[in-house]
Amino acid sequence: MSESNLAARSDGLEGQVSGARVIAQALKTQDVNYMFGIVGIPVTEIALAAQEVGIRYIGMRNEQAACYAASAVGYLTGRPGVCLVVSGPGLIHGLGGMANANMNCWPLIVIGGSSERSQETMGAFQEFPQVEACRLYSKFSARPSSIEAIPSIIEKAVRSSIYGRPGACYVDIPADFVNLQVNVNSIKYVECCMPPPVSMAETSAVRMAASVIRNAKQPLVIIGKGAAYAHAEESIRKLVEQCKLPFLPTPMGKGVIRDNHPNCVAAARSRALQFADVIVLLGARLNWILHFGLPPRYQPDVKFIQVDICAEELGNNVRPAVTLLGDINAVTKQLLEQFDKTPWQYPPESEWWKVLREKMKSNEALSKELASKKSLPMNYYTVFYHVQEQLPRDCFVVSEGANTMDIGRTVLQNYLPRHRLDAGTFGTMGVGLGFAIAAAIVAKDRNPGKRVICVEGDSAFGFSGMEVETICRYNLPIVLLVVNNNGIYQGFDTDSWKEMLKFGDATTVAPPMSLLPHSHYEHVMTAFGGKGYFVQTPEELQKSLRQSLADTTNPSLINIMIEPQATRKAQQKLTQHCKSTKCTSIK
C-alpha cells in the first residue's frame, strides 16, 4: 500500500487526522513498540493505525492472554507493551492481566474502547464504568477529554507505568473518538518521556548496611525479580563474589546470577532461610513467596537489610535493621564502594558454608535418586532432568502449574537474567502461553534464534490453550511441554477413571481436581500446523525434545504423560475421597 493510500486510510480528508491515528502515533512517540489484543467494535481501526506507524500488532485469542503478553513485554524490555481491548466484557477479561502486572510490578498500558459519549447512561452497547473499574487494578486510569488531549494522556500513562514501582495504566477511548477527524495542526505530540530517574540510598544507611553485613555470622543474599528488572546483574554478581556471600534467587530472580554459580544455595533454600542471621533483600518482597520474613521460617532475631525502589515496601511485615531506598543497581554499587574502601570477605571455610553445602549435597542427591527411577509412568524429576540435559543455556524458560512449576524451578536452570517467567507474585494460572508469545516476539526482534521453552502443567495449559493458534499463526518456534498428570495436582489413570465411573456420574464421584485422563493435547498443536508429540518414556521424551529444538521454523508441543498421583500427600487426599464415594478399587 502506498504512503498516500495509508494516509487516506487513516486520516480521511486532507489535513485531517483520525483519533485512531493520533492514538497510534502518540504510542509510537513514547517508544511503545508492541501491541497485543483482540479487535472488534470500536478498536479495530486503532490496531490498523498501530501497524501503519510501525507498532507490531499481535492478535490473541483471549484478552487475558493478550494482557499477560503485553505485561511480559514490559518486564523484558523496560517499555510497556499495550493490550488493546474492546468495551465492556473485553476490558473485564483484561482485568486479570492488569492485576497481575500490578502485583508483579511490570509496566503495562491497557487501551480500552468504550461506549459513545452521547449514549452514556442510556444503556449503550457494552456500557460499563471502565475508568472507575480500572482504578483498582492500575496506577493510573483516565479518559481523554478530546482527541487533542490523547498525546498528553498517553505520555502520562507510559511515564506512570515505568516510574517508581512499575505497574499497569489504563486509557479509555470513547467509540466516537476512534474515527472522529480533527485538524492535523491541532494535535501536539508530547516528546518521549525520559527514562525513569535513578535514585540512590542515603550514604549513612549504606555504611550501616555494610557494617551489618561485615558482622554477620550466617549471611544470605536474596535476589528478587526487581533486581532482574533493574538490570543489576553485574553489580550483584560483583558483590556476591567479592564478599563471598551465599545467595538465593526467588523464582524470577533466577539467572541474575547463573543458577550453577558456586555461591548459589537454592538447593538448601529452607535451611538458608531458617538459620540466616543477616539477610540482604535485593528487589525481593517479604510476601508469601518468602514466608513474610516471619518465624518459624526465619530466626526471630534475623536482621533484614531491605533494598527496594518503593518506600512503602520497606518495613512490610518485619522491622528491618537497615532500609535502603533506591534503584537496586545503583544501591548495590553503593554497597560495593563500601567494600572497595575497606575490603571484606565472608570466610568460605565457615561453619555456615559447611552446613549449607552439606544440605545442598543431600537434597541434590535425593533429586537425582527420584530422577533415576526407571518405572513408568515417569515422575516430575525424571522429566525435568531429561529436559535440563537438552535446554539451550540462553533459552527463555516459561513455567506455570502447581507441581510442574514448583518442582521445575529446582531442576531447570537459568543462566541469564530476565529469562524465566512464571506465575509470579499473584500466583496466576494461565499466564504461560501469553508470556511465551511475548518472549518469542521480543527474541525475534532482539535475539533471532533464541528459543522459548514453555513448561506447562496440563491444568495450566487449559487456561489459554487456544493461544496455540496464535503461536502457529505468527510462526513462533516455541517448544511447549505439557507435563500431563491428568489433573489439578493429581489425577487418575484411564483404568482407574473408568472404574470410578461405575459408581456414579463424574459430577458426584470424580474428585474436583481430576481431569480427563490420557488427553492428547499434542493434537491442539497439529490442528494448526505445528508439530505434536505424545511421549510416555524417557527415550521418547529425549527424541521429541531433540527434534523440537532442532526445528527452528515450527512450533511444537510435547505431551508428556507422568504418574497421575506423583505427590504422596495429595494422593492420600484422593484415596480418602475415593473411599468416601465407595470407590475402593482405586489405587
Side-chain angles (χ1 to χ4, degrees):
M1 186 178 293
S2 69
E3 289 186 12
S4 60
N5 285 339
L6 280 176
R9 176 174 162 183
S10 293
D11 303 337
L13 301 174
E14 187 176 351
Q16 300 283 299
V17 63
S18 68
R21 183 58 177 254
V22 172
I23 294 164
Q25 188 58 58
L27 289 168
K28 189 65 177 176
T29 301
Q30 298 304 319
D31 196 25
V32 172
N33 296 301
Y34 301 95
M35 179 181 286
F36 302 81
I38 299 177
V39 295
I41 298 171
V43 301
T44 302
E45 290 81 4
I46 297 174
L48 292 168
Q51 288 181 316
E52 289 162 6
V53 300
I55 295 174
R56 286 186 177 272
Y57 177 80
I58 299 92
M60 306 286 281
R61 299 303 299 266
N62 180 278
E63 288 91 353
Q64 277 189 332
C67 217
Y68 297 144
S71 67
V73 160
Y75 173 64
L76 294 171
T77 69
R79 302 297 294 186
V82 172
C83 177
L84 181 69
V85 298
V86 299
S87 51
L91 174 72
I92 292 169
H93 291 166
L95 291 179
M98 291 180 68
N100 190 69
N102 246 21
M103 297 299 289
N104 268 349
C105 309
W106 290 356
L108 165 71
I109 304 295
V110 175
I111 293 180
S114 61
S115 307
E116 292 191 17
R117 292 171 297 166
S118 63
Q119 298 175 355
E120 277 190 23
T121 75
M122 296 175 65
F125 176 66
Q126 297 183 334
E127 185 174 359
F128 188 71
Q130 297 183 183
V131 176
E132 294 88 342
C134 289
R135 287 203 174 102
L136 185 61
Y137 305 94
S138 62
K139 294 180 67 180
F140 172 78
S141 180
R143 171 194 275 193
S145 58
S146 64
I147 302 289
E148 289 79 4
I150 287 174
S152 61
I153 290 290
I154 285 180
E155 187 275 340
K156 184 166 184 178
V158 171
R159 177 162 41 87
S160 298
S161 76
I162 61 176
Y163 276 34
R165 173 182 276 181
C169 293
Y170 175 68
V171 179
D172 192 74
I173 303 295
D176 49 307
F177 274 15
V178 176
N179 291 313
L180 184 64
Q181 303 281 327
V182 298
N183 191 303
V184 69
N185 295 323
S186 69
I187 303 299
K188 306 298 180 187
Y189 293 102
V190 182
E191 188 177 353
C192 185
C193 64
M194 298 291 289
V198 176
S199 55
M200 300 174 72
E202 294 180 359
T203 303
S204 60
V206 176
R207 284 198 296 265
M208 185 184 299
S211 176
V212 172
I213 294 170
R214 292 178 196 276
N215 290 305
K217 299 292 189 293
Q218 296 173 175
L220 178 68
V221 174
I222 297 180
I223 303 171
K225 71 173 176 290
Y229 182 80
H231 289 248
E233 50 267 20
E234 282 303 309
S235 56
I236 292 176
R237 182 185 57 78
K238 288 179 183 177
L239 178 68
V240 164
E241 292 180 350
Q242 185 170 319
C243 296
K244 308 295 183 185
L245 295 168
F247 75 90
L248 175 69
T250 64
M252 271 191 277
K254 285 164 61 70
V256 171
I257 304 177
R258 56 188 170 88
D259 280 345
N260 64 346
H261 191 283
N263 289 39
C264 180
V265 295
R269 181 182 188 273
S270 295
R271 185 65 54 88
L273 295 178
Q274 190 171 13
F275 294 104
D277 66 345
V278 171
I279 294 178
V280 184
L281 290 163
L282 297 174
R285 289 172 278 175
L286 290 175
N287 54 23
W288 66 276
I289 292 176
L290 290 176
H291 316 288
F292 312 107
L294 299 174
R297 292 284 191 164
Y298 296 81
Q299 292 295 302
D301 58 351
V302 61
K303 295 179 179 178
F304 285 103
I305 298 171
Q306 281 187 285
V307 184
D308 205 286
I309 199 169
C310 177
E312 289 80 2
E313 191 61 41
L314 302 174
N316 225 13
N317 298 325
V318 302
R319 185 172 181 84
V322 188
T323 58
L324 301 175
L325 176 63
D327 175 81
I328 307 298
N329 190 32
V331 174
T332 306
K333 289 178 179 178
Q334 287 180 281
L335 281 170
L336 275 168
E337 288 175 5
Q338 294 297 316
F339 292 112
D340 286 338
K341 291 177 183 176
T342 310
W344 173 86
Q345 290 183 346
Y346 182 71
E349 69 281 358
S350 68
E351 185 65 22
W352 178 230
W353 264 119
K354 182 181 177 183
V355 167
L356 292 174
R357 287 182 178 126
E358 285 179 353
K359 188 61 176 175
M360 290 166 62
K361 186 176 180 180
S362 65
N363 284 346
E364 287 167 353
L366 179 60
S367 295
K368 288 179 180 177
E369 181 183 349
L370 289 168
S372 66
K373 290 185 180 298
K374 303 295 184 184
S375 59
L376 295 176
M378 295 180 284
N379 63 41
Y380 287 102
Y381 289 90
T382 303
V383 169
F384 292 138
Y385 270 100
H386 286 296
V387 171
Q388 174 59 33
E389 285 181 347
Q390 294 194 47
L391 283 189
R393 290 176 69 94
D394 67 344
C395 72
F396 289 95
V397 176
V398 180
S399 182
E400 69 166 329
N403 297 324
T404 298
M405 183 175 66
D406 293 341
I407 298 172
R409 75 165 176 260
T410 68
V411 181
L412 303 179
Q413 301 284 289
N414 286 94
Y415 305 96
L416 296 171
R418 299 167 297 283
H419 277 61
R420 177 183 164 88
L421 298 160
D422 67 23
T425 308
F426 214 25
T428 309
M429 290 297 102
V431 297
L433 272 68
F435 283 1
I437 289 167
I441 292 290
V442 171
K444 195 173 184 179
D445 285 348
R446 300 188 174 197
N447 305 100
K450 183 170 286 194
R451 303 309 302 271
V452 177
I453 315 299
C454 184
V455 187
E456 302 267 305
D458 52 327
S459 170
F461 177 73
F463 282 84
S464 55
M466 193 51 69
E467 298 302 336
V468 167
E469 188 273 335
T470 308
I471 291 170
C472 290
R473 185 172 5 117
Y474 292 103
N475 200 31
L476 303 173
I478 296 168
V479 178
L480 283 168
L481 308 179
V482 178
V483 184
N484 188 353
N485 67 349
N486 303 333
I488 304 169
Y489 304 114
Q490 263 76 47
F492 293 103
D493 60 35
T494 303
D495 291 340
S496 297
W497 176 262
K498 290 179 179 178
E499 184 68 24
M500 180 172 55
L501 293 185
K502 292 179 181 179
F503 295 86
D505 183 86
T507 59
T508 59
V509 301
M513 63 284 290
S514 58
L515 298 173
L516 189 67
H518 219 68
S519 294
H520 283 266
Y521 296 110
E522 75 279 4
H523 292 334
V524 179
M525 179 64 80
T526 58
F528 299 113
K531 301 292 182 64
Y533 303 88
F534 182 80
V535 306
Q536 296 177 286
T537 69
E539 294 75 21
E540 291 172 346
L541 173 59
Q542 291 170 336
K543 181 180 178 181
S544 61
L545 187 56
R546 189 161 52 247
Q547 290 175 348
S548 297
L549 290 171
D551 188 347
T552 59
T553 58
N554 296 295
S556 59
L557 189 155
I558 305 174
N559 185 16
I560 308 166
M561 302 305 299
I562 66 167
E563 167 56 45
Q565 298 187 25
T567 301
R568 190 175 72 177
K569 186 175 181 180
Q571 179 181 347
Q572 291 172 342
K573 291 179 182 177
L574 281 174
T575 302
Q576 290 166 2
H577 178 92
C578 291
K579 288 179 179 178
S580 70
T581 57
K582 300 180 181 180
C583 186
T584 54
S585 63
I586 304 296
K587 296 181 180 179

